[in-house]
C-alpha cells in the first residue's frame, strides 16, 4: 500500500523534510541539461563550477560566512566526522575530546569509537545535561584541558529542540586554545546564525533537514583553522573533499538556504505558534503528559512530550492509523525497548521516557493539521492506558 503525501499529516521534520518546490525547480536543469563535470576544461562542464560557487555563496550568506569557508559533503554525518577527525589529526599530541551526552549518533558513535577509527586512545569527556536538557557552562569550562583537541557540541538537539549556548562555548574554547565544532544540522534555517561574530571553527549542516535533498551536506571550516580532509582524491572543494560534486543537490541546497532565510520569520512566528498550540493543547487535554526540554531555550518547531505509562512505539502505531507522522524517543533495539539516550541524560523517569513522542513541524504544516492531531491524540492515549498494567486511573 502506498501512502501519498497529501494523505499524511507530516510532523516529523527533524527526521527529514520535503524538498521545497523552489528547490526542485532550481535542481532540475542540473539533472537534465547541464550534466557536465565541473572539473572539465570545456565551457560546458566548467560553467557548472560557477553554479556550484553561486550555491556556495548562498550557503555562506545564510551562515554569515565567506564562500571559501564552505565545503560541500555528502551529508551531516560526513561533516561531523570530518571536523572531529580533522582536529585529531591536526593535533596528534592532544588526546582529549569534549562532547555532550545528548549528541546525535553521528557524533556520539564516532566519539564512542575513536580508538577504532584513529588507532589511538582518546579520553572523551561527555558533559551531562540538566533535567531540562540545558548545559552547565561552569562545568564545561572546567573540563577543558591543555591536551583537549576539540569540543563537539550540537547547536540544537534533534529530539527535544533544546539549544546549547555554542557561541559562548566557542569563545571559552578559543581562550583555552581548543578547536570548537558544532553540529548545527537542526539549527540552520530555524534560528539566525552569524558565524563571523563567533569563535566557531567547524559547523555541520545537512540538506535534507532544510528542504533540500538527502545526500548533501556542508562543513563550514573557518579560514585559518587547520584542516585535514576526510575524503581524499581529486582536487574538488580546493582539495578539502575529493569526489565529483553532487551537482544538482548542491544547487538545491544553495536555493534551500536562500529559501529558509526568507522563511525564518515565518518559522519563528507562524510555525512557533502552531507548535505552541499543539504542545499546550496536548499537555492541557491529556493527563500525566509532560514536556521534555527547556520551555524557551528551544527550536520553534519541536515539541517532545511524554505520555506516562504508555509505550511510544504503540502511540506511533495508532497515530500511523490516522496517517500522522511523528517520532518516538524509544528505539526498539535487540528486542528490548531502550529509551533515548537524550531523555536518559536528562533524567526523565523510565515511565515517561518510554512514552515520549517528538512532533517536529515545518512551514508546510497548517492549523487544521494541528487541530486534527489535538482532536485525535487524547483517545489514542486513553485507549492505550486502558490496556496498560501500569496505569491506575488517578
Ligand atoms: C539528521 C542529523 C544528522 C545527520 O545528518 P545526515 O545528513 O542524515 O547524515 C546529524 N546531526 C543532527 C543533529 C541531525 O538531526
Amino acid at each position: 500500500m502506498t501512502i501519498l503525501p497529501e494523505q499524511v499529516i507530516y510532523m516529523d521534520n527533524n527526521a527529514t523534510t520535503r524538498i521545497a518546490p523552489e528547490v526542485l525547480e532550481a535542481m532540475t536543469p542540473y539533472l537534465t541539461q547541464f550534466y557536465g563535470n565541473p572539473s572539465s576544461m570545456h565551457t560546458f562542464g566548467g560553467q557548472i563550477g560557477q553554479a556550484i560557487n553561486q550555491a556556495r555563496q548562498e550557503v555562506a550568506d545564510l551562515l554569515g560566512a565567506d564562500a571559501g569557508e564552505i565545503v560541500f559533503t555528502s551529508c551531516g554525518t560526513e561533516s561531523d566526522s570530518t571536523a572531529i577527525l580533522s582536529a585529531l589529526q591536526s593535533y596528534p599530541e592532544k588526546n582529549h575530546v569534549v562532547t555532550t551526552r545528548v549528541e546525535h549518533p553521528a557524533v556520539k558513535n564516532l566519539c564512542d569509537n575513536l580508538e577504532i577509527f584513529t588507532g589511538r586512545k582518546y579520553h572523551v569527556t561527555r558533559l551531562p545535561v540538566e533535567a531540562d536538557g540545558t548545559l552547565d557552562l561552569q562545568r564545561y569550562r572546567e573540563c577543558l584541558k591543555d591536551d583537549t583537541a576539540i569540543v563537539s557540541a550540537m547547536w540544537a538537539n534533534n529530539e527535544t529542540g533544546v539549544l546549547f549556548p555554542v557561541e559562548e562555548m566557542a569563545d571559552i574554547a578559543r581562550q583555552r586554545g581548543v578547536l570548537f565544532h558544532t553540529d548545527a544540522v537542526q539549527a540552520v534555517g530555524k534560528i539566525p546564525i552569524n558565524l563571523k561574530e563567533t569563535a566557531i571553527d567547524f559547523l555541520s549542516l545537512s540538506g535534507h533537514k532544510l528542504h533540500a535533498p538527502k545526500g548533501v551536506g556542508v562543513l563550514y571550516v573557518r579560514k585559518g583553522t587547520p584542516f585535514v580532509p576526510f575524503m581524499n582524491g581529486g582536487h574538488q572543494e580546493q582539495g578539502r573533499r575529493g569526489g565529483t560534486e553532487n551537482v544538482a543537490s548542491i544547487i538545491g541546497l544553495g536555493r534551500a538556504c536562500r529559501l529558509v532565510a526568507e522563511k525564518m520569520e515565518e518559522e519563528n512566528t507562524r510555525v512557533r505558534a502552531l507548535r505552541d498550540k499543539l504542545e499546550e493543547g496536548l499537555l492541557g487535554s491529556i493527563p500525566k503528559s509532560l514536556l521534555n526540554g527547556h520551555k524557551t531555550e528551544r527550536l520553534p518547531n519541536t515539541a517532545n512530550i511524554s505520555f506516562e505509562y504508555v509505550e511510544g512505539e504503540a502511540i506511533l502505531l495508532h497515530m500511523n492509523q490516522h496517517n500522522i507522522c511523528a517520532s518516538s524517543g524509544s528505539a526498539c533495539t535487540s528486542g528490548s525497548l531502550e529509551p533515548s539516550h537524550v531523555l536518559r541524560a536528562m533524567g526523565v523517569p523510565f515511565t515517561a521516557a518510554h512514552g515520549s513522542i517528538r512532533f517536529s513541524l515545518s512551514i508546510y504544516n497548517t492549523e487544521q493539521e494541528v487541530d486534527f492531531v489535538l482532536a485525535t491524540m487524547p483517545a489514542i492515549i486513553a485507549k492505550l492506558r486502558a490496556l496498560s498494567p501500569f496505569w491506575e486511573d488517578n
Side-chain angles (χ1 to χ4, degrees):
M1 188 176 67
T2 308
I3 308 284
L4 297 170
E6 50 272 25
Q7 295 175 301
V8 301
I9 293 180
Y10 190 77
M11 294 191 176
D12 204 8
N13 286 277
N14 288 11
T16 198
T17 60
R18 67 172 283 187
I19 296 179
E22 296 90 335
V23 169
L24 180 62
E25 196 189 344
M27 291 173 65
T28 305
Y30 295 92
L31 292 165
T32 52
Q33 297 170 276
F34 299 117
Y35 54 80
N37 187 325
S39 297
S40 295
M41 287 303 292
H42 44 74
T43 309
F44 182 65
Q47 64 188 353
I48 314 277
Q50 286 168 25
I52 287 179
N53 281 335
Q54 194 195 319
R56 197 184 305 283
Q57 188 62 54
E58 289 171 326
V59 176
D61 289 345
L62 178 66
L63 301 177
D66 288 332
E69 297 174 314
I70 303 302
V71 180
F72 289 111
T73 65
S74 71
C75 59
T77 302
E78 183 191 326
S79 299
D80 287 341
S81 275
T82 304
I84 294 168
L85 295 175
S86 168
L88 300 185
Q89 286 185 265
S90 297
Y91 295 106
E93 70 284 5
K94 298 187 173 187
N95 58 16
H96 180 225
V97 172
V98 174
T99 184
T100 81
R101 281 176 56 188
V102 297
E103 296 300 312
H104 185 273
V107 168
K108 181 184 187 290
N109 289 342
L110 178 71
C111 290
D112 287 348
N113 296 289
L114 280 176
E115 196 174 341
I116 295 171
F117 295 116
T118 65
R120 294 186 42 190
K121 267 206 182 328
Y122 283 93
H123 176 57
V124 180
T125 301
R126 297 172 187 83
L127 287 165
V129 294
E130 310 292 313
D132 61 7
T134 58
L135 213 65
D136 179 352
L137 271 185
Q138 190 50 34
R139 200 162 189 167
Y140 163 66
R141 205 183 299 267
E142 285 161 9
C143 80
L144 295 179
K145 299 187 289 190
D146 290 337
D147 69 348
T148 309
I150 189 165
V151 177
S152 181
M154 67 205 317
W155 202 317
N157 188 276
N158 48 299
E159 293 189 23
T160 61
V162 171
L163 300 168
F164 283 162
V166 289
E167 290 154 303
E168 218 174 328
M169 293 171 78
D171 281 335
I172 294 168
R174 177 172 288 181
Q175 283 158 23
R176 286 295 258 121
V178 175
L179 292 180
F180 190 89
H181 165 249
T182 186
D183 175 337
V185 169
Q186 292 294 342
V188 173
K190 296 175 188 147
I191 59 167
I193 292 177
N194 188 355
L195 289 172
K196 278 222 168 54
E197 288 170 8
T198 75
I200 292 167
D201 296 291
F202 298 109
L203 175 144
S204 305
L205 68 85
S206 173
H208 74 101
K209 304 290 174 75
L210 49 92
H211 305 292
K214 295 160 184 65
V216 64
V218 159
L219 179 63
Y220 158 87
V221 184
R222 177 174 295 278
K223 189 163 181 276
T225 297
F227 183 74
V228 180
F230 179 64
M231 295 272 283
N232 293 285
H235 55 260
Q236 293 92 352
E237 300 299 292
Q238 297 186 320
R240 292 173 297 182
R241 202 271 186 185
T244 300
E245 296 86 342
N246 182 355
V247 176
S249 293
I250 288 172
I251 304 300
L253 178 52
R255 183 67 189 91
C257 285
R258 208 146 41 86
L259 190 71
V260 293
E262 289 159 15
K263 301 281 185 186
M264 203 171 306
E265 169 81 18
E266 182 185 346
E267 180 87 36
N268 282 278
T269 51
R270 192 180 69 82
V271 176
R272 183 187 292 275
L274 288 182
R275 189 274 312 265
D276 289 348
K277 180 177 183 181
L278 176 68
E279 181 172 301
E280 282 154 25
L282 291 173
L283 293 172
S285 65
I286 301 177
K288 299 267 179 199
S289 57
L290 32 107
L291 175 69
N292 294 311
H294 196 279
K295 183 101 180 74
T296 55
E297 289 299 306
R298 193 159 50 116
L299 291 174
N301 79 318
T302 309
N304 188 312
I305 298 176
S306 279
F307 304 99
E308 284 190 274
Y309 306 105
V310 275
E311 290 290 347
E313 316 265 302
I315 302 171
L316 283 184
L317 283 176
H318 281 76
M319 289 169 70
N320 189 50
Q321 287 174 355
H322 298 275
N323 286 336
I324 304 170
C325 307
S327 285
S328 89
S330 57
C332 190
T333 45
S334 61
S336 73
L337 285 169
E338 270 287 295
S340 102
H341 69 285
V342 175
L343 300 184
R344 261 183 300 161
M346 291 160 67
V348 176
F350 264 53
T351 48
H354 275 298
S356 84
I357 298 292
R358 176 189 71 188
F359 300 88
S360 47
L361 279 56
S362 83
I363 52 169
Y364 298 110
N365 287 117
T366 63
E367 181 148 22
Q368 291 90 299
E369 291 178 323
V370 168
D371 289 340
F372 181 79
V373 175
L374 286 175
T376 310
M377 290 299 292
I380 292 177
I381 304 298
K383 188 169 158 187
L384 289 170
R385 279 179 178 164
L387 303 168
S388 165
F390 305 107
W391 173 253
E392 304 130 36
D393 217 353
N394 40 18

